[in-house]
Each structure stands twice: as C-alpha cells, then as structure tokens.
Amino acid sequence: MSERPLSFLDRPNSYIGRSVPRPNARRLLQGRGTYVDDIRLPRLLHAVFLRSPYAHARIAGIDTAAASRLPGVVRVVTAADLAGLYTPWVGTLSHLKGLKSAPQHPLAQGRACWQGEPVAAVVAESRAQAEDAAAQIAVEWQELAPLASAEAALASGAPAIHAALGDNLAFARAVDTGAVDDAFARADAVVAETFTFARHTGVCLEPRSILAEFDRSERRLTLHCSSQVPHMMKEIAARHFALAETDVRVICRDVGGSYGIKIHVYPDEMATIALALLLGRPVKFVADRLESFVSDIHAREHRVAARMAVSKSGEILAIDIDDLTGIGPYSTYPRTSAIEGNQVVNLTGSWYRCANYRARLRVAFQTKPPMSQYRAVGHPIACAVTEGLVDLAARAIAMDPAELRRRNLIADDAYPCTSPAGLIFEKLSHQRALARMLELMDYAGLRREQAALRARGIHRGIGLASFVEITNPGPAFYGVGGAPISAQDGCTLRLEPGGAVTCAISITEQGQGTETMVAQIVASVLGVALERVRVVTGDTERTPYGGGTWASRGAGIGGEAALQAAKALRANILDLAGAMLQAAPADLDIAQGWIVDAVSGARRIGLDEVGRAGYFRGDTLPPGIQPELVATRHHQPRDYPFAFTNGVQASWLELDIETGFVRLLKHWVVEDCGRVVSPLLVDEQIRGGVVQGLGGALFEECLYDGEGQLLNGTLADYLVPMAGEMPDIEVAHVMTPLAGTELGAKGAGEAGTAGAPAAVMNAINDALAPFGATVAEQPFTPARILRALGRT
Amino acid sequence: MRLSEPRLLIDINHVAVLGGIEERGGALRIGALARHSEVGASPLVARLAPLVHQAIPHIAHPAIRNRGTFGGSLAHADPAAELPACAVALDAVLLLASRRGERKVAARDFFRGIYATALAPDEIVTAIEIPPAPAGGRSVFLELARRRGDYAIAGLAAAARPGDLRLVFFGVGDRPIEAKAATAALQREPAAGRVAAAQAALARDLDPPGDLQADGATKLHLARVLLGRAAAALAA
C-alpha cells in the first residue's frame, strides 16, 4: 500500500480503517435531532414569502393593506421596506475572467426574473397566519417576455435580462491545445454526439431553514441555519448587514442533508435576517417543499456537442466539446454559477492520455431559478460526455469498450502529470481500478451472459465509466477569486479532567457521518476509546475557523487537522505525564486511555489521573510545569490545487424494448479516495452518490414550459430515485494515499454521482446496440428510449 | 402547503358501519373505510376478487396503503388510480348514502371524468359490492409506472369470465376506459392474429391525452404492449 511509516494509523487499536457504530445515530433515530424548525424561541415570529408566479414580470404595484390587517400579522414588507438594512450582492469571482452578474436583493426590485423569486414577505405570530396574509397581497403584474432556454437567451437580438450587462452571456471560456483539427483529419474514425442534461435539483429531507435573532442591545446577530458553511454564512451576514464579525454567530445543529444546496446565499434567507434586524424579534423561515422546488438552486442543464477522433488501433487522438448551459437570471453568490461549466471544460477527457483538446463553454442567463453547485458539480456532465464518446468510438472501430479504455487511460506510473486543460494529477490509479473492476464484475462472464440472453430476446446492457473527482480544494478554488470561503479547517482538542476528549472542528455534519469519522481519527491518535471522544461541529463560536463541508473535503482537510491536533495534544499529555512519572515523554505512549510504557505497553497511570493532576492538583506537579491539555491545529492543501481521486463505475441493466423501461440489475464502483478512514461511511457515501447520479440519469428533471413555468414542482411529479428502483451497489477500493498529509485521505462524497449517469447511459446504449439506436438525453425516460427505438 | 383548503373536515374514521370486508348475499362487500393494506391481506378478497388482490401492491407504498381507503380511492376518481379500473372491470356496484337515503350506482356509471363522479355534493360512498369471481375466471393486472408505487403511465385491469372478457385501461384517459373494440377483436375467431388485431383496434377505444411522463402516442403504444401481455397471460 504505502511506503511511508504510518504509526498513528496502524496502531493495534486504531479505529482508522474500521467501521464503527455512529455515535449520533441513536439520537437521530430516536427523533431527538434538533433541526431549525425544532427551535422555538421566546417572541418568535414566522416569515412567509410571496413568490413571483411569472418567469419574468414587472411589478407595477403591491398592495399589502389587506394582508397587514389580518390577525397575527406583525409586518408585511416589500423591497422598499428593507432598503438600507443590507448591501446587495453580486455573484462573481475575480479569477473567472469575464464572469458578470447583476446585484441581487432579498426581495425583487420592481421586477421578477424567475417563477419563485421572492417578492414580498409576511411576518406573523404563526406560520399559518403568515400564509393567510401572503394570500391577500395584491400584486399588479405586467408580464415580460420570458427567456427560458439558454439558446433563446443567447440568440442574436435577444433582450438582455439585465440591461446594464449588455447581453445574456454570463461567462465564456475556451481551451485549445492547437492541433485538434489535424488530429481529427488524420483519424480513422470520428464519432459525434450531442449530450443533453436536464435541469434538476437537490431534494433535502430538511428543507432550507433559517432562524435569525438580533439582540439590539449589543447589535448581536445569531443565525440558526441549515447550512454546510457556518463560517461563510457568518462572514456574509457581517459583510452585508454591516455588523462586526464578532457580533455574528452561526449555529448549525442537525442538518438534514445538503448536497450543495446549502452553501449558497439565498434571497429569502437574507430577507429573514433583514426582518430580524428590522423587528428586533427572532424570525424563522422554513421553506416548504413546493417553494423549495422554485427557490433552491437547480443544477445541470447543459447541452454539449462533442466529437472524438480515434485511430483504428484504438488511440484516442482528439476531443472537441462545446458546452452551453443556462444558469437562471443571476450568478449565485458567492460561489458563482460558472463553476459547473468551468468544471466540464476542465474535466472532460482528462483521465485519458489524449493530448489534443478543444473546448468551448458558454454560460447563459435565463429566466429560470438560479443554478449553481450541487453534488459532483460538472463531473456527471464531463464524465457522460467523455465516456459516451469512448463507447461510440469503441463501436466505430469494433473494439471492446473496456479494451479501448485500457489502452487510453493514463498509466499508473505516469504521475504527476498535467491534463490538457491544466489539471495537475498527483497520483491516480486508473489502470488498477479498471483491472479491479473487470474482475469484480466478471466482465467476460457478463458479456457471455449478455450474448446468451440476447439470443432469447432479453436485452441487457453493460456500461463502464471511468472518472476523476476533484476533492480537497485549496484556496485556488474560491479564496483566490475574492470569496470569503476558507480552504482550511481547524480542530481543537481538549482533554477533560476525567480522561475524555472534547473535539471542536470546523467541518460540519449533515447526516453523512463527519463526526464519526473525526472521532475515529482523534481516538486512534490519542489512544482513547471512541466513546470517550465528543465531537462538536456547526457553531462559529465553539469551533475553530474553517470552510465547512463541500467539494468532498471533510476527511481530507478536516480529518488531517484532527489528526495533527490529536498528535499535538498527545505530545502535551505525554509531557505532563512524563513530569508526573519522572519519565521521558518519548518513553511513554497512550493506549486505551492509559499512559503506558512505550516499549513494554505496561500501564502506568490513567488519563483521568493526568487530567485530574492538570486541572485540580497542580500542587502535586514539579515546579515550573504549566499543563497545556488543549491543542489546535489547522490544515489546508498547499502542494496541489486539488486532490484528485479516480475510479470506474459499471452498470448492468435490462431494457424492455417494448416499453422503454430500464431495470437496474447491478452497479459496481471501484474508486480510490486514498486512505479510507471509515469503510462503512465511505461505502455509503459512494452508494448515496451513485443513487443521486442514477436519479439524474433516469428520473430527475425540472420540466419547464416555454413560458418558464415549472410543470412538476411537487414530489408527486418530480421523481427522486427511490429504493425500489435501485440496484445492489457493490463498492471496492484501490488505495493510493494522498501525499503531503499524514492521513492520506482524499474525498469520497461525489465520486458516486460523478460516474453513475455515464455508466447507465453506456449500458442502455449497449442494450440498444442491436437496434442501431442510441440515447444521449438525460434523464433516459421510457418515452425517450421508445423514441430512439422508433417505436413511437 | 395549501394544495387543498377545505372549509370543513369531518372525521369518519369512527363510523363502524363504513368498515369491514365480508361476503354478503353472494357478493363481496368492501366497506368504504377498508384500508388498502387490509384489502390486500384479505383471503376473502383474494378468493372472490383476485383482480383487486393483484392490484393492491401497485398502490403507492405501505405507509400510504395503511391509511388510504377503498372508498376514498373510488370517490377521488384519479384516472390513473388502480381501484376504479378494477371496479369497472369487475362490474362492481357502489353504495352511496346521503340524508336523502341510499342508492346504488354501477362502477361503469360512477366515473365521469378527472376527479369527477356520480356522487352528489351531500353523498358519500359507503361500500362497494363486487360479484364473486366465477369458477374458471381469470384476471390480470398490469401497470407501467416510472417508480414502484407511482401513478400509472398506463395500466390494465383485465377480468375474464366464461364467455365474458373485460379490459379496462387506466392512466390513458379521464377515467377508467373499457376497451370494447379491442375486446371484440380479441374474442373473434379464428385465434390467429387476433392479438395484433386487438392492438390495432385499441386506437378506437383510447385517445390518451399526454401527461408529464409520455405523450398520447406513447401511452397508446404502452397500452398496446399491456394488451398483448394480458392476452398472453390470460391464454397461458
């Protein structure tokens, strides 16, 4: 595995690499979690938003008089009422050259640009009273022409959604390595396809929620919110409401899923903060499921025209892509909405040796809800385009698709290397992962089974998809562009008098098991039992400063901070124990809560005795000893901009050619996220990610009509993937520990989502092959498959 | 979420006379309050109305089947729901009651359109009576839904009795639709080619409106596929 000594990781009682029960599972399963909606404060008020029913309309007038008179109503506000309480925000980053956007406000300023944009707010003693009143607000609308599709928005002569920006092109980027046309000209085969990816959204069990409490006496703002980024939210609130940074506290108790939905600044949440400032009473806003569909960020919506050139011998010679994506009327603050397209350009083809690459990206404003980062940002698109082309190329030169991959995947001994678009890969394991996959799934056996069944009229397909995943981003991702988004995280550990350990860490828990993973590292390095470690997350006043949880960075960055903090606290504990025992600290160790002799393992004194001496019985210590039973360490990636992971997924499915229905039979993932701290949690992250990817591939789609109206904004009509349709998902790992950290962990949160749609697409097209049909429009609905088969 | 804002909500759960599943006067009587899960687990239903027994697992999910009622599904009259189609295919009779008294309406006359029924504003469904399946009867229930438990893109409730065949489609119109032309084609002699003829004839029975899942032509195609599969199952 690794050549480096890994003493803390390999100790006999290490929890690293073991699956353990989750300490917070009991509380959550017993219904004792505390979500924002569970928090009830004295004098609490409830905010409800009136949202635009139109995709694009001018607000000629708003009459709030009737609503204001209803029982329980404290205040009805429109944009003008909040003026002066905040400064507007603009979703640009300086390193995304040319990215433009318009200022955003908590409530629409005389014009709504998407169906769902908040227009007015009601604050009342109860949610029901606020809803009653919102229904009585009379808005005089003047409809404007919607620009629902990205194509329409960029058509020549299309009116600019924001006149001051001149046009609707938010961002554009081009990459050209130079000899692309030559490579296509000398190719034995050229394949082309236009891949489309429906707009979809994240569906969190806990909707977006915020409770803002403003203490006028001290001008202190406390936000209880369902967020992945408490410190960023603190920074944003201080900045835009002109508060001292020390006067804002953000508390995120339990968070019911996030998937990237909860890393953005939303107008309704900013309005809730403004209302708390305005009224001097705590105000709560919890999005209901219907408004979540039109106010949470959406994702994807790409159309990628792509070509690949290949030689007869199976060498990929060139890739050429043109991506058009629609992001709604604003680039989302502060991460922007250009990252997904940018990732498509960066990632496409990057796991193959192909040196000739040309890409064009256009990011368009349109009158739909804002689109921004959602789990696996850009990866599912780049992966489906690349892997779809590889399968088409394999078919064109009559080569087995696994073999074509084997011939072109970057060799495992070729690292470090740089991709045509400039990505730097430290060390990946594509070849090993592919070999492991072919063995795991019994590729040859499946091909035989497929052929036998095909002869009986049963049409099954096999799809492969190799991929890379961006994890552990450094400051080059956002910080360099001016966003208050930290790429580092910190961990503070404190030995308690009784020998337990309190751990405060800036990465966050939203149900994925962060606290368990951190506790495993801390307990292993410190030599204490897992249940003796209490992990605290999600509170800007109780944890060190850090970025939070996004971009698959929790284990790689937060985990390393925890490991280093544990080493530091361990050294402090051994210093004190050495003084107590008149021994050299280097001759001592900690194991199972005891100070032990490092060589013999013989128990000397318990950690409780060290704690008691340190905190209560300083009188027993030698002169000059000042016990320091707390330690803090931070970590941020410095060696590489990102820690890439890699892997390969495979899908085995059955296609009913009469109905166009797809039945997923089995899914495999082989991936390399470096050191696996907690196998169960990693595997479930992978599985959950696969399920979200399968959702995009087969089910999820925000259906809009030409007027920019969402047609399926309920959970009855918007199809999230459900257990009944999911296949068994088998996960295996190749482990290439990350250099530059002691833990060696890379991220695992998005790999499943990155590769699953491509694997399913290729499997469907494999099943369709005897009919000369292909599909490239996600989600692959029965109707689209039947159309490809020419049956309707 | 205010998808529905009734001015008055009356809890009828405690009205015992509305519940129960029994054999009465030779017919199967299912009370309006019988839960889907109770109907699905009933040996009486399995014996006397196997089509209903086959249909129940397609209704939503266990949590919903534990709460949803037989009468509620019929009175709601969702054109993509399972039980209205079964009721029509089985020649069931609905018992309706109001202060004015009781009356019986045949299932085939009960469904009038999307969420529209023969119920008067002051009436409720109290029970449904289903003629028992005869010896030698066969039934087939088929449904195509994107996910297990979703409303059907297209579905078919088929009941065959000696000398009688009922093919009732759902999810392809504004109410359960009996495919009379296709049924006639399927029963013609000689047997050769009659499935294809029935599938062709289905265009005279159905003119499905499109929905979010599929356009009308796709739904007609899927209905034809179901017809072919039902015919094969009934002949097997």
Side-chain angles (χ1 to χ4, degrees):
Chain A
M1 208 158 53
S2 169
E3 308 79 36
R4 296 173 295 137
L6 293 164
S7 57
F8 291 110
L9 310 173
D10 297 340
R11 287 150 63 106
N13 292 305
S14 174
Y15 291 99
I16 293 170
R18 280 168 57 192
S19 296
V20 300
R22 294 170 58 166
N24 57 8
R26 187 188 307 272
R27 180 170 55 80
L28 296 172
L29 291 173
Q30 288 184 358
R32 303 309 297 259
T34 306
Y35 300 90
V36 173
D37 194 44
D38 296 315
I39 301 170
R40 285 162 175 76
L41 297 179
R43 305 172 65 243
L44 180 63
L45 297 172
H46 300 264
V48 160
F49 291 90
L50 178 75
R51 296 178 184 278
S52 172
Y54 298 107
H56 199 193
R58 197 175 309 288
I59 301 165
I62 305 183
D63 183 352
T64 60
S68 302
R69 286 193 295 269
L70 287 179
V73 173
V74 173
R75 193 75 179 260
V76 182
V77 298
T78 62
D81 300 302
L82 302 183
L85 287 169
Y86 67 92
T87 50
W89 54 95
V90 182
T92 54
L93 286 167
S94 62
H95 66 303
L96 295 172
K97 296 277 181 289
L99 171 61
K100 63 194 182 195
S101 190
Q104 262 193 290
H105 297 262
L107 295 172
Q109 306 275 308
R111 184 176 63 125
C113 295
W114 84 85
Q115 178 216 0
E117 182 169 358
V119 169
V122 179
V123 185
E125 300 289 343
S126 76
R127 166 98 191 196
Q129 288 170 326
E131 288 184 6
D132 284 345
Q136 297 303 317
I137 298 173
V139 182
E140 190 187 330
W141 294 103
Q142 292 171 348
E143 281 188 72
L144 298 168
L147 280 168
S149 77
E151 288 85 351
L154 294 189
S156 70
I161 292 172
H162 305 291
L165 300 181
D167 59 28
N168 296 318
L169 185 66
F171 181 66
R173 186 183 161 199
V175 170
D176 193 339
T177 56
V180 174
D181 288 329
D182 291 348
F184 273 96
R186 68 186 156 88
D188 293 316
V190 171
V191 292
E193 180 63 276
T194 297
F195 300 88
T196 61
F197 302 83
R199 192 171 250 259
H200 57 89
T201 186
V203 179
C204 302
L205 272 179
E206 183 199 21
R208 287 190 300 108
S209 315
I210 185 167
L211 192 167
E213 185 186 12
F214 185 63
D215 179 345
R216 282 174 169 167
S217 68
E218 292 190 310
R219 288 192 60 76
R220 276 177 64 84
L221 177 71
T222 303
L223 303 177
H224 296 268
C225 53
S226 188
S227 174
Q228 305 166 241
V229 285
H231 284 98
M232 185 198 92
M233 282 303 294
K234 173 179 115 112
E235 221 57 47
I236 295 285
R239 188 179 285 194
H240 290 282
F241 293 97
L243 299 168
E245 59 185 351
T246 47
D247 284 345
V248 181
R249 179 183 184 186
V250 176
I251 302 170
C252 309
R253 296 186 70 176
D254 292 307
V255 175
S258 47
Y259 319 113
I261 301 299
K262 298 171 181 174
I263 52 175
H264 308 292
V265 171
Y266 289 92
D268 46 23
E269 296 180 26
M270 294 294 267
T272 305
I273 299 172
L275 288 165
L277 264 64
L278 185 69
L279 299 170
R281 289 177 66 176
V283 181
K284 183 195 286 186
F285 164 64
V286 178
D288 74 22
R289 193 57 250 162
L290 298 183
E291 65 187 336
S292 295
F293 273 115
V294 294
S295 64
D296 288 2
I297 58 108
H298 290 178
R300 319 305 184 220
E301 189 173 344
H302 291 252
R303 194 200 68 202
V304 185
R307 296 190 302 150
M308 178 178 275
V310 66
S311 74
K312 238 182 295 188
S313 62
E315 185 189 352
I316 298 173
L317 302 172
I319 298 172
D320 182 7
I321 67 163
D322 184 350
D323 181 13
L324 173 63
T325 179
I327 59 164
Y330 298 96
S331 170
T332 299
Y333 185 69
R335 284 175 155 75
T336 83
S337 302
I339 297 286
E340 178 152 285
N342 204 46
Q343 305 268 66
V344 173
V345 169
N346 279 338
L347 292 166
T348 298
S350 63
W351 45 101
Y352 292 109
R353 284 187 288 109
C354 171
N356 300 308
Y357 181 51
R358 182 163 58 206
R360 178 166 84 133
L361 167 68
R362 287 171 300 154
V363 177
F365 292 121
Q366 57 182 168
T367 55
K368 282 182 186 170
M371 167 275 199
S372 193
Q373 278 77 307
Y374 165 66
R375 195 174 196 173
V377 192
H379 292 68
I381 291 122
C383 184
V385 168
T386 306
E387 296 299 291
L389 289 173
V390 168
D391 268 28
L392 289 173
R395 207 176 296 174
I397 59 168
M399 182 177 284
D400 181 274
E403 176 59 18
L404 184 56
R405 285 180 173 80
R406 194 189 62 75
R407 292 187 185 197
N408 290 278
L409 285 167
I410 296 171
D412 291 353
D413 61 3
Y415 300 96
C417 62
T418 303
S419 79
L423 304 179
I424 307 168
F425 299 126
E426 180 246 325
K427 184 149 179 54
L428 302 179
S429 58
H430 287 294
Q431 295 287 351
R432 276 174 69 199
L434 178 64
R436 177 86 181 87
M437 171 60 83
L438 299 181
E439 167 194 291
L440 181 73
M441 68 191 290
D442 183 16
Y443 183 76
L446 272 189
R447 284 285 177 212
R448 284 192 300 273
E449 187 179 343
Q450 177 187 37
L453 288 171
R454 203 170 262 174
R456 292 169 38 203
I458 295 170
H459 295 277
R460 293 192 175 175
I462 299 167
L464 291 169
S466 291
F467 63 90
V468 295
E469 187 207 338
I470 290 174
T471 77
N472 299 5
F477 208 20
Y478 292 117
V480 72
I485 298 171
S486 183
Q488 63 82 50
D489 276 276
C491 176
T492 295
L493 296 175
R494 182 174 77 206
L495 182 72
E496 301 294 341
V501 178
T502 298
C503 167
I505 191 160
S506 56
I507 56 171
T508 59
E509 166 80 54
Q510 34 268 332
Q512 81 281 47
T514 291
E515 294 180 357
T516 306
M517 177 272 294
V518 169
Q520 286 182 252
I521 293 167
V522 169
S524 299
V525 176
L526 274 179
V528 301
L530 190 69
E531 55 272 20
R532 299 286 278 164
V533 180
R534 162 72 67 184
V535 180
V536 177
T537 60
D539 185 339
T540 57
E541 284 195 353
R542 292 174 66 199
T543 63
Y545 201 95
T549 300
W550 43 275
S552 298
R553 61 191 298 286
I557 298 176
E560 180 70 12
L563 184 148
Q564 296 302 335
K567 279 176 67 180
L569 178 60
R570 182 179 176 281
N572 292 356
I573 290 170
L574 291 180
D575 280 348
L576 179 56
M580 292 168 68
L581 297 168
Q582 299 187 342
D587 294 337
L588 300 172
D589 194 1
I590 312 173
Q592 293 171 286
W594 289 79
I595 305 294
V596 299
D597 187 282
V599 177
S600 70
R603 286 182 174 180
R604 303 289 300 273
I605 51 172
L607 274 181
D608 55 342
E609 212 168 319
V610 178
R612 196 161 49 241
Y615 291 119
F616 307 139
R617 295 301 308 272
D619 59 305
T620 64
L621 299 175
I625 296 288
Q626 287 292 349
E628 191 65 54
L629 297 178
V630 66
T632 298
R633 288 294 182 272
H634 287 77
H635 179 75
Q636 67 179 308
R638 299 299 305 270
D639 303 345
Y640 290 91
F642 309 99
F644 280 90
T645 72
N646 68 279
V648 54
Q649 298 196 25
S651 170
W652 172 234
L653 54 79
E654 188 168 310
L655 182 64
D656 182 334
I657 58 159
E658 290 187 316
T659 64
F661 274 61
V662 168
R663 189 158 63 95
L664 301 171
L665 301 172
K666 181 90 191 209
H667 199 97
W668 297 267
V669 181
V670 175
E671 72 91 63
D672 185 346
C673 64
R675 176 155 323 278
V676 173
V677 175
S678 188
L680 180 68
L681 292 176
V682 168
D683 287 358
E684 293 310 316
Q685 277 272 9
I686 298 289
R687 290 195 179 95
V690 166
V691 167
Q692 270 176 314
L694 295 176
L698 293 174
F699 300 107
E700 298 186 56
E701 178 168 20
C702 295
L703 291 163
Y704 275 87
D705 67 12
E707 301 297 304
Q709 291 283 323
L710 181 62
L711 301 174
N712 61 338
T714 75
L715 279 179
D717 295 317
Y718 180 93
L719 307 182
V720 293
M722 303 282 274
E725 283 61 54
M726 291 299 105
D728 189 24
I729 302 166
E730 196 172 338
V731 183
H733 302 277
V734 171
M735 253 194 244
T736 310
L738 176 65
T741 69
E742 215 163 330
L743 186 61
K746 309 174 195 175
E750 298 166 281
T753 313
V760 166
M761 176 180 71
N762 284 345
I764 293 172
N765 285 330
D766 187 41
L768 284 171
F771 306 94
T774 55
V775 288
E777 185 179 0
Q778 295 187 30
F780 305 110
T781 64
R784 285 174 180 147
I785 290 170
L786 286 173
R787 203 176 309 135
L789 281 164
R791 302 219 168 204
T792 59
Chain B
M1 295 186 289
R2 305 202 174 212
L3 292 173
S4 170
E5 295 184 64
R7 293 172 64 88
L8 182 66
L9 200 59
I10 301 172
D11 184 358
I12 58 170
N13 277 298
H14 60 283
V15 183
V17 70
L18 295 177
I21 300 170
E22 58 189 330
E23 193 175 359
R24 190 189 284 182
L28 173 68
R29 182 191 176 281
I30 301 177
L33 275 182
R35 310 286 160 172
H36 300 314
S37 54
E38 191 185 345
V39 174
S42 163
L44 207 54
V45 172
R47 181 165 55 86
L48 298 175
L51 182 66
V52 172
H53 182 77
Q54 292 166 294
I56 294 288
H58 293 272
I59 301 173
H61 308 281
I64 293 171
R65 293 200 288 270
N66 285 340
R67 300 192 70 137
T69 63
F70 205 97
S73 175
L74 299 179
H76 187 53
D78 189 305
E82 292 83 0
L83 294 179
C86 292
V88 173
L90 294 174
D91 265 342
V93 173
L94 283 85
L95 279 61
L96 314 184
S98 69
R99 272 193 197 172
R100 290 171 284 116
E102 291 186 318
R103 63 181 179 128
K104 292 188 174 186
V105 176
R108 63 170 50 168
D109 300 323
F110 180 76
F111 301 103
R112 301 277 173 86
I114 298 173
Y115 307 130
T117 69
L119 276 172
D122 62 345
E123 260 181 332
I124 62 167
V125 176
T126 57
I128 182 170
E129 286 175 358
I130 301 173
R138 305 283 298 265
S139 60
V140 175
F141 189 91
L142 297 172
E143 177 173 331
L144 291 169
R146 292 284 299 281
R147 300 173 306 177
R148 185 176 293 270
D150 280 348
Y151 283 110
I153 301 180
L156 170 58
R161 298 158 188 255
D164 182 34
L165 175 65
R166 296 293 171 86
L167 299 174
V168 180
F169 286 88
F170 57 100
V172 289
D174 68 349
R175 68 193 85 179
I177 297 174
E178 195 173 347
K180 291 181 176 160
T183 307
L186 206 54
Q187 288 173 307
R188 72 160 200 212
E189 295 296 341
R194 65 189 182 188
V195 171
Q199 286 172 322
L202 200 55
R204 300 210 299 277
D205 295 316
L206 306 179
D207 181 16
D211 61 20
L212 293 174
Q213 305 300 340
D215 59 19
T218 304
K219 281 175 169 265
L220 180 60
H221 166 80
L222 293 173
R224 283 176 166 145
V225 172
L226 294 183
L227 176 61
R229 290 177 180 181
L234 289 170

